[in-house]
Amino acid sequence: RAASAGLKRFKVRLDRRGYRIEPGQPFRIRSLKRGIESMVVRAGRIEDGRLDDATIAITAVQDVFGLPASSMTAVQPSGWTPPDATPQAIGVRRLLERTWRDIAQDTDPANLELIDPTACYLQTLAVKPTSLSQGYAMQVRVGSAAWTEADDGGDFCLGGLLVAALGPADTAFTLTAGSDLDFVTPGGAALIGDEIVRVDSFDHTTLSGTLGRGCVDTVPTSHPAGTRLWFVEDAGALDSAAYSPGTTVQASLLTQTSQGQLDPALAATDSLTLLGRQGRPYPPGQLRINGETYPASVTGDVVLTWAHRDRLLQADQLIDTDMGSVGPEAGTTYSARLLRADTQTELASQIGIAG
């Protein structure tokens, strides 16, 4: 009768409390995840198990006499919604011209000497548009030429927004609205506005830390609250092509996820005019006016002092503005101008300063 009725068969595993069940005896089972609210089954073969295994295995079949008492329910949905891995356009991004430090990090000494000082190189920075974004590809072109994909794909950049304004002499900072800040490692480079800084310390709990200001070819400037701080060490995408100064390059960033790559038609296009940044000399450090940093006023002669910087000697090092002299390169001279703050009229100047 069981065979003709198409009754269900089960292998039920019980703990030792099932020892009272004997062959042919009916008992009731319940398994909501299988859609069984209540079902009467009849025991067939019973296996008591080994001494080291307390499981009792019972081969049971649905009881034909218990059919009226059986009730089935629909399996309840889990409530889990699979995440959307569709590639999304990158909203927060930047185009930059690479510095000499960037190139020195990636180039062996022999080939570094062969680089044309007037050559320009492009890089990009981007923030993850979604948590499932894995990286991005960079497409570039000049003018109306066809798009070409850059040699090196991009890793997304860690970062956050400044909670409070940062003055040119400030070194402490706190971030908010950060992304993946648990991975920030002190010692690397960061970017605030157009200023390159060195991350001297960072607390992943408070999202606060300290910076070395005015590194590489930049000087300390003021940054308002809400300015993004990019942790640029080992981040971004690079274009290995060398461009001439004055060239305007367009770039488009295509997000990559497990589902594929963003449709180029959905990506925004940014452009940057290159200036030959990597071949230019660095600004001096430790700039003082009558021995002070950013004095409110000066009486009498205006006496400027500074520390040397050497692009070639510094190579890939992050030398901040407060460190002592490095170099300078042979033949280096300085020029100084004193301007009116309101009209930018030049009041005095000196050129060809060798010391």
Side-chain angles (χ1 to χ4, degrees):
R1 295 189 63 180
S4 63
L7 301 180
K8 296 181 181 297
R9 187 177 179 182
F10 300 90
K11 186 76 172 279
V12 182
R13 298 185 183 276
L14 306 175
D15 59 25
R16 301 308 299 178
R17 289 176 292 180
Y19 78 95
R20 295 181 178 178
I21 300 177
E22 298 178 355
Q25 182 179 349
F27 61 97
R28 192 194 312 268
I29 62 173
R30 171 188 174 95
S31 178
L32 294 180
K33 70 177 182 179
R34 295 176 175 86
I36 302 174
E37 175 69 28
S38 177
M39 180 183 292
V40 177
V41 296
R42 192 169 294 273
R45 181 181 178 184
I46 298 178
E47 301 171 69
D48 289 331
R50 302 184 304 272
L51 290 176
D52 59 349
D53 184 2
T55 301
I56 297 176
I58 300 177
T59 302
V61 66
Q62 189 175 1
D63 184 38
V64 65
F65 302 106
L67 285 176
S70 298
S71 60
M72 308 295 288
T73 61
V75 177
Q76 296 298 313
S78 65
W80 178 75
T81 301
D84 184 7
T86 305
Q88 302 294 325
I90 298 173
V92 183
R93 60 193 186 275
R94 281 194 68 171
L95 292 188
L96 299 170
E97 188 172 346
R98 301 189 73 194
T99 67
W100 177 255
R101 175 182 182 265
D102 297 328
I103 298 172
Q105 281 185 303
D106 302 331
T107 311
D108 62 87
N111 287 315
L112 195 61
E113 295 181 357
L114 302 178
I115 293 178
D116 185 346
T118 65
C120 307
Y121 300 92
L122 183 72
Q123 75 174 94
T124 64
L125 300 175
V127 174
K128 276 185 178 182
T130 66
S131 60
L132 296 181
S133 300
Q134 299 173 345
Y136 63 93
M138 175 171 65
Q139 292 186 338
V140 295
R141 72 176 181 182
V142 176
S144 58
W147 289 100
T148 60
E149 188 160 320
D151 300 333
D152 188 15
D155 293 323
F156 289 109
C157 191
L158 312 180
L161 307 180
L162 293 178
V163 172
L166 202 65
D170 296 332
T171 58
F173 72 97
T174 302
L175 298 180
T176 185
S179 57
D180 297 330
L181 296 180
D182 289 343
F183 298 100
V184 174
T185 303
L191 182 69
I192 316 177
D194 293 323
E195 179 188 349
I196 299 173
V197 297
R198 184 186 62 244
V199 182
D200 290 334
S201 67
F202 187 73
D203 188 316
H204 301 101
T205 303
T206 62
L207 304 186
S208 60
T210 57
L211 302 171
R213 303 293 303 275
C215 298
V216 192
D217 60 353
T218 67
V219 295
T221 58
S222 296
H223 306 283
T227 302
R228 176 167 293 277
L229 188 149
W230 307 75
F231 294 98
V232 297
E233 200 74 20
D234 300 323
L238 312 176
D239 182 4
S240 62
Y243 299 95
S244 301
T247 302
T248 299
V249 183
Q250 295 178 323
S252 179
L253 309 184
L254 308 179
T255 310
Q256 296 168 333
T257 70
S258 59
Q259 288 192 3
Q261 184 168 283
L262 182 71
D263 183 348
L266 302 178
T269 299
D270 301 307
S271 62
L272 180 69
T273 301
L274 305 175
L275 304 174
R277 176 178 185 173
Q278 59 89 11
R280 296 175 181 265
Y282 286 178
Q286 289 188 341
L287 179 64
R288 302 290 186 266
I289 303 174
N290 288 22
E292 297 184 44
T293 304
Y294 309 106
S297 62
V298 172
T299 302
D301 291 341
V302 178
V303 180
L304 306 182
T305 57
W306 58 84
H308 297 299
R309 292 290 180 263
D310 189 319
R311 178 180 66 100
L312 300 181
L313 277 181
Q314 291 176 217
D316 61 349
Q317 301 301 303
L318 289 169
I319 306 298
D320 65 61
T321 191
D322 288 330
M323 295 185 70
S325 288
V326 181
E329 296 179 49
T332 296
T333 61
Y334 300 90
S335 298
R337 294 191 301 160
L338 181 67
L339 308 178
R340 279 185 63 115
D342 54 355
T343 64
Q344 298 297 299
T345 304
E346 183 178 291
L347 302 177
S349 65
Q350 293 183 23
I351 60 173
I353 305 170

